[in-house]
Amino acid sequence: ELKVEQNPLFLSMQEGKNYTIYCNYSTTSDRLYWYRQDPGKSLESLFVLLSNGAVKQEGRLMASLDTKARLSTLHITAAVHDLSATYFCAVDWSSGTYKYIFGTGTRLKVLA
Amino acid sequence: DAGVTQSPTHLIKTRGQQVTLRCSPKSGHDTVSWYQQALGQGPQFIFQYYEEEERQRGNFPDRFSGHQFPNYSSELNVNALLLGDSALYLCASSAPYNEQFFGPGTRLTVL
């Protein structure tokens, strides 16, 4: 059974600080997705990582994928309050099936 | 171009009742997947429809069933509702070999 684990589950950080969220998964997959979810809202796509070594950046967020280690990271640079949300990683159950297995989520709170 | 749409936005039912949720995929998308997200949890895959057939299914009981219509829209039906079925139900659509796009969700409350 494919398992996807994120850590930390909760993260409280000061504005201006850097931090990394980790996403580990238990079986081979070369497709990984990061989403943001605000309270009561749906999922907003942040990054699509489709190959080993993929790195993508958007604003203060940067995501990377290491398929050999079965690890993805979401790095936050100089956090601002607007980044407060829950972040999910999701792994394609088997490449091409588009059955996504989601991680547990990381609830991020950025303090002013 | 409208994205993925879902209806209704909110729904309140009582235990034992049946519910139908609806989803219209993004234009050009032919595959629809449904997810259940309980409060404080990550979304869980229910099933996926392609060419009007269920192609994949997650670990959900038969009380959860679905349908896809020729225009690619989809319905999720849940029979004999339980308190534990209270959740946000998300629909996602995709084009062949492309990522999924999620709709706004339907919040179901079972009393």
Side-chain angles (χ1 to χ4, degrees):
Chain A
E1 180 185 347
L2 171 60
K3 292 185 179 180
V4 182
E5 296 182 343
Q6 289 180 235
N7 67 84
L9 297 182
F10 298 96
L11 178 55
S12 180
M13 57 191 296
Q14 297 288 330
E15 276 192 331
K17 297 294 186 182
N18 304 331
Y19 209 84
T20 299
I21 298 171
Y22 297 89
C23 173
N24 292 274
Y25 53 98
S26 62
T27 194
T28 302
S29 178
D30 58 3
R31 296 168 182 256
L32 191 137
Y33 309 85
W34 283 97
Y35 290 91
R36 168 182 171 143
Q37 188 175 41
D38 292 296
K41 304 293 185 180
S42 187
L43 299 170
E44 175 190 351
S45 178
L46 294 175
F47 300 107
V48 178
L49 303 171
L50 298 179
S51 61
N52 185 43
V55 177
K56 292 196 174 179
Q57 182 164 5
E58 181 71 35
R60 301 175 186 275
L61 301 178
M62 182 174 70
S64 66
L65 177 62
D66 181 343
T67 58
K68 293 179 182 178
R70 300 177 185 172
L71 171 68
S72 180
T73 61
L74 179 65
H75 186 73
I76 304 159
T77 301
V80 293
H81 180 71
D82 285 351
L83 289 179
S84 297
T86 299
Y87 293 85
F88 291 97
C89 63
V91 176
D92 201 332
W93 170 261
S94 178
S95 295
T97 62
Y98 300 95
K99 170 185 171 181
Y100 290 6
I101 307 300
F102 280 81
T104 46
T106 296
R107 189 176 299 174
L108 171 65
K109 185 173 183 179
V110 181
L111 305 172
Chain B
D1 175 30
V4 181
T5 60
Q6 292 185 242
S7 62
T9 306
H10 297 89
L11 204 51
I12 299 175
K13 292 285 187 178
T14 56
R15 282 178 294 174
Q17 285 189 310
Q18 179 264 344
V19 68
T20 298
L21 310 182
R22 296 177 176 81
C23 172
S24 292
K26 190 175 168 65
S27 178
H29 289 187
D30 60 2
T31 301
V32 173
S33 300
W34 287 91
Y35 293 80
Q36 179 195 66
Q37 186 179 21
L39 197 61
Q41 308 282 324
Q44 304 242 339
F45 177 81
I46 303 174
F47 43 53
Q48 182 181 89
Y49 278 85
Y50 172 70
E51 293 189 341
E52 302 179 50
E53 292 193 358
E54 183 182 289
R55 182 164 69 173
Q56 305 254 7
R57 190 177 181 92
N59 190 24
F60 279 81
D62 291 343
R63 297 187 298 109
F64 290 76
S65 63
H67 189 76
Q68 186 178 34
F69 298 94
N71 66 353
Y72 307 121
S73 66
S74 177
E75 289 183 348
L76 164 66
N77 299 293
V78 186
N79 294 322
L81 284 167
L82 303 174
L83 294 179
D85 294 332
S86 295
L88 179 68
Y89 288 85
L90 295 165
C91 168
S93 72
S94 58
Y97 309 110
N98 276 281
E99 70 168 303
Q100 295 180 11
F101 291 83
F102 285 82
T106 294
R107 172 74 61 186
L108 172 65
T109 301
V110 182
L111 301 177

Coordinates of all heavy atoms in Angstrom, one line a residue, chain A residues 1-6 23-27 70 91 93 101-103:
Chain A
E1 N 0.8 -1.2 0.0 CA 0.0 0.0 0.0 C 0.9 1.2 0.0 O 1.8 1.4 0.8 CB -0.9 0.0 1.2 CG -1.8 1.2 1.3 CD -2.6 1.3 2.6 OE1 -2.6 0.2 3.3 OE2 -3.2 2.3 2.9
L2 N 0.6 2.1 -0.9 CA 1.4 3.4 -1.0 C 1.0 4.3 0.2 O -0.1 4.5 0.5 CB 1.1 4.1 -2.3 CG 1.6 5.5 -2.4 CD1 3.1 5.5 -2.4 CD2 1.2 6.1 -3.8
K3 N 2.1 4.7 0.9 CA 1.9 5.6 2.0 C 2.7 6.9 1.8 O 3.8 6.9 1.2 CB 2.3 5.0 3.4 CG 1.4 3.9 3.8 CD 1.8 3.4 5.2 CE 0.9 2.2 5.6 NZ 1.3 1.7 7.0
V4 N 2.0 8.0 2.1 CA 2.7 9.3 1.9 C 2.7 10.0 3.3 O 1.6 10.2 3.8 CB 1.9 10.2 0.9 CG1 2.7 11.5 0.6 CG2 1.8 9.4 -0.5
E5 N 3.9 10.4 3.7 CA 4.0 11.0 5.0 C 4.6 12.4 4.9 O 5.6 12.6 4.2 CB 4.8 10.1 6.0 CG 4.2 8.8 6.3 CD 5.0 8.0 7.2 OE1 6.2 8.3 7.4 OE2 4.4 7.0 7.8
Q6 N 4.1 13.3 5.6 CA 4.6 14.7 5.6 C 5.1 15.0 7.0 O 4.5 14.6 8.0 CB 3.6 15.7 5.2 CG 3.2 15.7 3.8 CD 2.2 16.8 3.4 OE1 1.2 16.4 2.9 NE2 2.5 18.0 3.7
C23 N 8.2 15.5 2.4 CA 7.2 14.6 2.0 C 7.9 13.3 1.6 O 8.7 13.2 0.6 CB 6.4 15.2 0.8 SG 5.3 14.0 0.0
N24 N 7.6 12.2 2.3 CA 8.2 10.9 2.0 C 7.1 10.0 1.5 O 6.0 10.0 2.0 CB 8.8 10.3 3.3 CG 10.0 11.0 3.8 OD1 11.1 10.8 3.3 ND2 9.8 12.0 4.6
Y25 N 7.4 9.1 0.5 CA 6.5 8.2 0.1 C 7.1 6.8 -0.1 O 8.3 6.7 -0.2 CB 5.8 8.6 -1.3 CG 6.8 9.0 -2.4 CD1 7.1 8.1 -3.4 CD2 7.4 10.3 -2.4 CE1 7.9 8.4 -4.4 CE2 8.3 10.6 -3.4 CZ 8.5 9.7 -4.4 OH 9.4 10.0 -5.4
S26 N 6.2 5.8 -0.1 CA 6.7 4.4 0.2 C 7.0 3.6 -1.0 O 7.5 2.5 -0.9 CB 5.8 3.7 1.1 OG 4.5 3.6 0.5
T27 N 6.6 4.0 -2.2 CA 6.7 3.2 -3.4 C 7.2 4.0 -4.6 O 7.1 5.3 -4.5 CB 5.5 2.4 -3.7 OG1 5.7 1.4 -4.7 CG2 4.4 3.3 -4.3
R70 N 12.8 8.8 -2.7 CA 11.3 8.9 -2.5 C 11.0 10.0 -1.5 O 10.3 9.9 -0.5 CB 10.8 7.6 -1.9 CG 11.0 6.4 -2.9 CD 10.5 5.1 -2.4 NE 10.9 4.0 -3.3 CZ 10.8 2.7 -3.0 NH1 10.3 2.4 -1.9 NH2 11.2 1.8 -3.9
V91 N 1.0 11.9 -4.3 CA 1.8 11.1 -5.2 C 0.8 10.3 -6.1 O -0.2 9.8 -5.6 CB 2.7 10.1 -4.4 CG1 3.4 9.2 -5.3 CG2 3.7 10.9 -3.6
W93 N -0.5 7.2 -7.7 CA -0.4 5.8 -7.2 C 0.5 5.0 -8.1 O 1.3 4.2 -7.7 CB -1.9 5.2 -7.2 CG -1.9 3.8 -7.0 CD1 -2.1 2.8 -7.9 CD2 -1.8 3.1 -5.7 NE1 -2.1 1.6 -7.4 CE2 -1.9 1.7 -6.0 CE3 -1.6 3.5 -4.4 CZ2 -1.9 0.8 -5.0 CZ3 -1.5 2.6 -3.4 CH2 -1.7 1.2 -3.7
I101 N -2.5 9.8 -4.1 CA -2.5 9.5 -2.6 C -1.9 10.7 -2.0 O -0.8 11.1 -2.2 CB -1.6 8.3 -2.3 CG1 -2.1 7.1 -3.2 CG2 -1.7 7.9 -0.9 CD1 -3.6 6.7 -3.0
F102 N -2.7 11.3 -1.0 CA -2.2 12.5 -0.4 C -1.5 12.3 0.9 O -1.8 11.3 1.6 CB -3.5 13.4 -0.1 CG -3.9 14.2 -1.3 CD1 -4.8 13.6 -2.2 CD2 -3.6 15.5 -1.5 CE1 -5.2 14.3 -3.4 CE2 -4.0 16.2 -2.6 CZ -4.8 15.6 -3.5
G103 N -0.6 13.2 1.2 CA 0.0 13.2 2.5 C -1.0 13.7 3.6 O -2.1 14.1 3.3

